Every structure is written in structure tokens, then in C-alpha cells.
Amino acid sequence: MLGAITSGRIADIVGRKGAMRISACFCITGWLAVYFSNGSLLLDIGRFSTGYGIGVFSYVVPIFIAEIAPRNLRGLLTTLNQLLIVTGSSVAYIIGSIIPWRILALTGLVPCILLLVGLCFVPESPRWLAKVGLDKEFQVALRKLRGKDADITREAAEIQVYIHTLRSLPKASIRDLFKSKYIRSVIIGVSLMVLQQFVGINGIGFYTSETFAQAGLSSGKLGTILYACVQVPITVVGAFLMDKSGRRPLIMISAAGTFLGCFLAGTSFFLKIYIAFFSIGFGAVPWVIMSEIFPINIKGVAGSLVVLVNWSGAWAVSYTFNFLMSWSSSGTFFIYSAFSVITVLFVAKFVPETKGKTLEQIQASINKS
């Protein structure tokens, strides 16, 4: 949550690449602290450091992808981020049941180091470069992203016009988010994150083994592996559907499916149905929409708020899951299913379709609504 609060400001000040470098360093520090810990202090420092890094990552990565991607691939590429998240989570679930936890902590260093090296070869976000006045670097970055033979004249002009308009606006603060021209975007972004969390994904994910065991499976560890294996192929399907079906239909189908999964889990603990439908849309679409709906002048402040809400919801759900399960296993999942129904209704009424539109066109359509 602390990473979320500061993520937008960091990304605006040092750039998207700079924010990712800072996050990677925090995660490396955290995993080393976990590995070398001999007591609770270093473990707490490690969890704090990795948590802060992930809080920043969870904002800056989808924002960076949305800002560099061509409009026809933006949904797919942003969803690939979620695909790799669930792939890493699934791999950690599986190998974590085989190797000691200290060695598991060391495996967390690998993606961090790969990222630091890879960022040396990746251009900065052209929109951020244009925003801070680095026009020459903006042209170079956009050319590198689109290819040396691509005609970037029109896209560069659209971005420059949009940035020029934003420069005339005052610096954004948290109070600005509640102005009439921004409030619709804020409501959409915050509500999707609240609903994403309160369908129960983190409670179910963190307590998969215990839940399967409580449902009567002989091995909770086997249930964890099955849960992990379901996420990846379904997220792949969601990634390819993102730019074909559109955001609205995908998240509505996903929410309807999580209602079905929760409802069945409430009576029979058929968790595999639940995680399949969550992964196909609900896991990725809110992050895609979050990266698309905010104008760049408030993206830092608004993005920080949205990510803070997401991680606050994750904490609330994971903290209360055991208490709710002790109260009523069925009742817990019926509560989550109710939030799934609310999601379908909310998306149908308030969330715009962003497929195939530039970030600038999305802003124009939201402001007209």
C-alpha cells in the first residue's frame, strides 16, 4: 500500500524506467533480507521491502505498457503482464512445495536482475518524455518502438497536441481527482479495483491449500498445484480475447463466471471453476482499463489512488478470509458471488469500451459521457 501511494509520483519524477529500477532494487534488497534472516526482524524488513517494490511495480508496469503499445495491441500487451504475474505465481506455488523457503526467496532475485539488465535496451515511454519536454528523446523513443520504416508523424503529432494541452493545466493534487472532468474516470478505476478484490481472489489464493483440505481433498498441496495450473492457460485465452472481444464483454463474462464459481464453491468448493473465470478477464482487465482511462496530468495521483485501493482491498480480503471461513464456508463464497453480480451491473452501466482507441480518444469519449 505504501508503494502504491508513492508509485505515481516516483514514475512522474524519474520516469517509468526509473521507477522500475527503483522497484527492482527494493525487491532485491527484500529477497536477500529474507534469505539471510535469522529472526523476525530481517523477515519483516524483507517483506516490507518486497511489498514496497511490488506496490510500485503494480502501477508503473501497466502504465508503461499502455503508453508504449500501439492501440491495436495495447490490451493484449497489458494482459501479457498479468499472464506473466500468474505464471510466476503458479511457478512459485509449485516449486515452493518442493524446495526450502530460503531457496525460494533466492529465485525472486532472477526476474529482478533480468529486469535491470533488460531496461538498458528498452526505450523510455514517449508520452512521459514529451510530458517533461525531452522532445528529441521523445522522437527517438517513438521511432525505436514503431520501427525505422514506420511513419510516426501522425502519432507523434497527436501525442504532442495532447501534451501541449495538458501543460496548460495546473499540477494535479488528490483534490483535483474529485473535479467533474476527472470524477468519472476515478469512479471507474477505483470501483473496478474494489470489485476485483472483493470477489475474494486473494483470500482464496493465499489459503488455497487449507480451503481444498477443508473441502475434503486428501492433499491440500495437490489442490494448490491444480489451482496454479488452471491460471496460466486461461489467462492466455484472456490475453488473446482482450483486443478481439473488447474490455466490457470480457470483464462481464468473467464476473458472471466468478459468480458461478463462488456460488458453486459455496455449496461444493468447486474452486477450479472460480479461478478459470477470474483469470480470463477479472485478473487483467481492471489493470488494462486503469492504464487507459486517466489523462497523463493526473495519471500519477489517480494511479496511486487506484493501486492503493487495490492493495487495501487485497489486505482486507486476505485478513478476513479465515474469520469468514470460520463463520461459514458457504456464506463466505456467497458474499464473494454477490460482489461478482455487482460487477456485471456496474460495468454494464458505467465502464466505457476502450478497445481500438488511442489514449487521447479514450479521454475524449469519457469526457463526453
Side-chain angles (χ1 to χ4, degrees):
M1 290 187 279
L2 182 60
I5 293 171
T6 58
S7 59
R9 191 64 66 192
I10 292 173
D12 283 346
I13 293 174
V14 301
R16 289 21 173 170
K17 287 175 62 176
M20 284 188 276
R21 287 191 178 103
I22 291 171
S23 299
C25 291
F26 268 97
C27 288
I28 289 172
T29 301
W31 289 126
L32 289 174
V34 171
Y35 178 76
F36 288 110
S37 63
N38 289 317
S40 60
L41 179 60
L42 269 184
L43 276 175
D44 287 341
I45 292 172
R47 291 301 299 272
F48 176 87
S49 185
T50 54
Y52 181 84
I54 294 301
V56 176
F57 269 137
S58 57
Y59 164 78
V60 73
V61 171
I63 291 296
F64 178 72
I65 294 172
E67 290 182 348
I68 69 171
R71 74 175 86 176
N72 61 313
L73 294 177
R74 190 172 59 241
L76 172 63
L77 293 176
T78 308
T79 306
L80 286 179
N81 173 51
Q82 182 67 21
L83 170 61
L84 294 177
I85 289 173
V86 300
T87 301
S89 173
S90 298
V91 170
Y93 269 125
I94 294 169
I95 66 174
S97 63
I98 301 171
I99 65 175
W101 61 267
R102 288 188 191 275
I103 305 301
L104 183 64
L106 285 183
T107 65
L109 298 175
V110 176
C112 299
I113 294 170
L114 288 175
L115 177 66
L116 288 175
V117 174
L119 285 173
C120 297
F121 304 95
V122 175
E124 179 57 270
S125 163
R127 285 177 169 83
W128 180 81
L129 291 169
K131 179 188 175 186
V132 297
L134 298 174
D135 294 332
K136 182 179 179 181
E137 291 83 351
F138 158 69
Q139 294 284 343
V140 171
L142 190 59
R143 171 69 64 190
K144 188 173 182 180
L145 286 165
R146 299 296 179 256
K148 63 180 181 179
D149 297 325
D151 183 6
I152 63 171
T153 306
R154 181 176 178 180
E155 184 177 8
E158 288 178 351
I159 294 173
Q160 289 283 26
V161 169
Y162 186 60
I163 296 298
H164 179 74
T165 302
L166 293 177
R167 283 176 181 164
S168 64
L169 300 174
K171 189 175 181 180
S173 67
I174 195 72
R175 287 180 295 179
D176 293 324
L177 299 181
F178 300 97
K179 292 181 178 178
S180 58
K181 58 183 175 180
Y182 302 136
I183 191 63
R184 181 179 172 87
S185 295
V186 172
I187 290 173
I188 292 170
V190 168
S191 298
L192 285 177
M193 291 304 182
V194 169
L195 293 168
Q196 182 199 56
Q197 289 303 325
F198 278 87
V199 298
I201 184 61
N202 276 296
I204 294 169
F206 293 155
Y207 294 98
T208 302
S209 180
E210 293 89 338
T211 305
F212 271 108
Q214 189 172 336
L217 196 67
S218 58
S219 172
K221 188 176 293 186
L222 175 61
T224 299
I225 294 173
L226 291 172
Y227 176 96
C229 291
V230 167
Q231 292 186 85
V232 177
I234 297 298
T235 305
V236 172
V237 174
F240 285 102
L241 288 176
M242 183 71 70
D243 285 317
K244 293 184 179 296
S245 67
R247 281 54 152 167
R248 278 167 48 91
L250 194 58
I251 197 170
M252 291 171 72
I253 291 170
S254 176
T258 56
F259 162 76
L260 175 64
C262 281
F263 188 82
L264 292 176
T267 56
S268 61
F269 288 100
F270 285 159
L271 287 180
K272 286 187 287 185
I273 294 176
Y274 172 89
I275 191 58
F277 275 101
F278 184 90
S279 297
I280 201 171
F282 224 152
V285 175
W287 294 103
V288 175
I289 293 177
M290 182 275 289
S291 70
E292 295 174 327
I293 60 175
F294 296 119
I296 199 167
N297 66 307
I298 69 159
K299 188 167 282 188
V301 177
S304 295
L305 173 64
V306 169
V307 178
L308 172 62
V309 168
N310 182 273
W311 286 112
S312 298
W315 172 82
V317 170
S318 57
Y319 182 79
T320 59
F321 184 80
N322 268 341
F323 296 109
L324 288 172
M325 289 291 284
S326 299
W327 161 67
S328 171
S329 299
S330 297
T332 301
F333 287 95
F334 290 144
I335 290 172
Y336 295 156
S337 69
F339 279 100
S340 299
V341 173
I342 293 170
T343 301
V344 175
L345 299 176
F346 176 81
V347 172
K349 179 68 176 177
F350 296 107
V351 178
E353 181 55 69
T354 58
K355 181 188 74 170
K357 298 179 181 177
T358 67
L359 300 183
E360 292 73 27
Q361 289 171 338
I362 292 169
Q363 284 309 304
S365 66
I366 290 177
N367 291 332
K368 287 180 182 178
S369 300

